[in-house]
Each structure stands twice: as structure tokens, then as C-alpha cells.
Amino acid sequence: MFSTAIQSFLNQHHYPALNIKAVFFDMDGVLFDTMPAHAKAWVIAMNGAGLHFTEYQGYLNEGRTGASTIDNEFVKVFGRHSTEEEKQHIYKQKSEHFLSFGESMPIPYTYELTKKIKAENIDRLVVTGSGEKTLLDRVEQFYPGIFNRQRMVTAYDVKHGKPNPEPYLMALQKANVKPWEAVVIENAPLGVQAGVAAGIFTIAVNTGILEDEVLHQAGANLVFGNMKDLHDHWDKLIRQ
Ligand code: MG
């Protein structure tokens, strides 16, 4: 199963081999189980503005900027763009509700996976569109010794967020590796699109409520149903 996915990836890009030297981890939904709170907060904020919005839509839009998530809904529902004031108001509501749900815990088995990868002397980077300072601080708390704060790619580093490949292209630079020497681990369709557009082997782990099919359609080279599944298959995967 893995060898077919890897071979078709190599053929598509005319790469010599998949020789993994670095793994790029998305944060929301991969390192931390933040998506349920994000999705619920979006529903409350959008409904408050008279926009019908579901948690499923919240998951589909993961990674998109708040402003463009809001604007897309305005165009769909009201047939016009949102004003700056409306965007700010709704996004403020969303952020306040998100914070009110309290701190999210790590996704089970992600830490075990990162330890395994570190033991293999494979580099680890966080690549996120998030600029949540408290969450970035919590990376060190919950993933001690795994990541280096100076080498994270966050909202502060990039001009274009996911699904643009920029964050992952920057990660290749920071890790000083070629696209066939890295692997991306993502949970969201837009994140998967970004990894794929950067020409990197992209593994989707479905830690949320989306159909697996959505992640396949986004271009994921492999889709796992949960983090334990990826953790358990990791050795087999990198020995291909
Ligand atoms: Mg994510």
C-alpha cells in the first residue's frame, strides 16, 4: 500500500527516491486537538451574524484566514462582500468563544510519533498558519525536546498562508532539505493542498470529522484514520 503511493509520487515529480531527513508537522489538529473548539466557536460567531454555518464547514475551512472565511460566507449567503467592521466583529466573537472553551490537549500518539522520529535522527519542524502565541508556547511544554522554536514556520513568517505552498517551501529552506527528503503531516484539506503544491510527500491524518475522501481529493499521498494508525505504521513506511 505504501510502496504504490510512494512510487506514484516519485514518478509524478521525477524525484530520485523518498529519502526522509525531515518531517513537517502542522499544529492545529496534528499536534493539538484544537479543531473541535475552533469549529464550535465559528458556528456560534457565524450564527450570531445571521449566517448558517456548520462545524463540518469549520473543519473544511481550517487554515483559511478568518477574514476570508467570513467573506466567503457573506458572498454565498448575502450576495455581497463583508465590510471590514463585520469581519472584525465576527472574528472577535469567534476568538472569544474559542478561548472560553479552555486549552486543548495534544492529539493522542503524536508525541510518541515525534519521539520515534527524533530517535531516527530525522529533523522535526512545526509548520502552522497559526499565530496563537500561547499555543506556540505550549509546543515546548507538551513536546519537550522535539521542536526548536527558532525553526518553526508560523503566521509571523509567511505572506501567503495554506493552501499556498509558501509555508512548506519555507520549511524546506529552514530544514535545508530537498522536497523528496521531507514528509508533511497534515489533518486539513487546505494544509494537504499546501504540502502537495510544495512538491512534498503529504500524509493526511484524519483527526476530525471530515470524510477521508475530502483528504484524498485534496491530493494527500496517504490518508490515515487516526494518529495511532500512522504511529503504528511509521517504521514500515520509512523503510519503503
Ligand atoms: Mg491542521
Side-chain angles (χ1 to χ4, degrees), residues 26 28 62 186-187:
D26 169 49
D28 286 288
E62 184 195 338
E186 270 285 354
N187 69 305

Side-chain angles (χ1 to χ4, degrees), residues 88-125:
Q88 282 179 15
H89 172 73
I90 297 171
Y91 194 69
K92 190 165 169 277
Q93 298 291 312
K94 187 262 166 181
S95 299
E96 284 173 6
H97 284 290
F98 175 71
L99 290 174
S100 77
F101 294 135
E103 291 183 329
S104 310
M105 296 309 286
I107 294 276
Y109 286 92
T110 305
Y111 182 48
E112 285 76 6
L113 176 62
T114 61
K115 280 195 291 189
K116 211 186 245 270
I117 290 169
K118 184 183 176 183
E120 290 157 349
N121 282 320
I122 295 171
D123 201 2
R124 293 91 37 211
L125 270 75

Side-chain angles (χ1 to χ4, degrees), residues 170-237:
M170 193 170 280
L172 289 173
Q173 280 184 0
K174 288 203 185 200
N176 193 24
V177 294
K178 304 286 183 211
W180 59 87
E181 295 172 333
V183 163
V184 164
I185 301 180
E186 270 285 354
N187 69 305
L190 296 180
V192 167
Q193 285 177 33
V196 169
I200 305 171
F201 191 82
T202 301
I203 299 172
V205 184
N206 195 354
T207 61
I209 63 174
L210 297 176
E211 304 287 333
D212 281 359
E213 191 48 33
V214 175
L215 297 165
H216 283 292
Q217 279 170 8
N221 298 102
L222 286 173
V223 178
F224 288 87
N226 56 63
M227 198 57 78
K228 182 176 189 303
D229 204 16
L230 173 59
H231 169 273
D232 293 350
H233 287 96
W234 180 258
D235 296 333
K236 206 172 159 197
L237 177 65

Side-chain angles (χ1 to χ4, degrees), residues 42-116:
W42 269 121
V43 169
I44 298 169
M46 292 287 211
N47 290 353
L51 294 152
H52 176 72
F53 198 79
T54 62
E55 289 183 22
Y56 199 88
Q57 282 174 282
Y59 275 84
L60 280 178
N61 279 288
E62 184 195 338
R64 207 180 287 289
T65 64
S68 90
T69 302
I70 294 162
D71 202 51
N72 286 349
E73 289 310 301
F74 263 77
V75 170
K76 248 194 295 178
V77 177
F78 299 136
R80 67 164 176 90
H81 289 283
S82 50
T83 64
E84 207 46 51
E85 209 174 34
E86 287 164 335
K87 276 189 281 223
Q88 282 179 15
H89 172 73
I90 297 171
Y91 194 69
K92 190 165 169 277
Q93 298 291 312
K94 187 262 166 181
S95 299
E96 284 173 6
H97 284 290
F98 175 71
L99 290 174
S100 77
F101 294 135
E103 291 183 329
S104 310
M105 296 309 286
I107 294 276
Y109 286 92
T110 305
Y111 182 48
E112 285 76 6
L113 176 62
T114 61
K115 280 195 291 189
K116 211 186 245 270

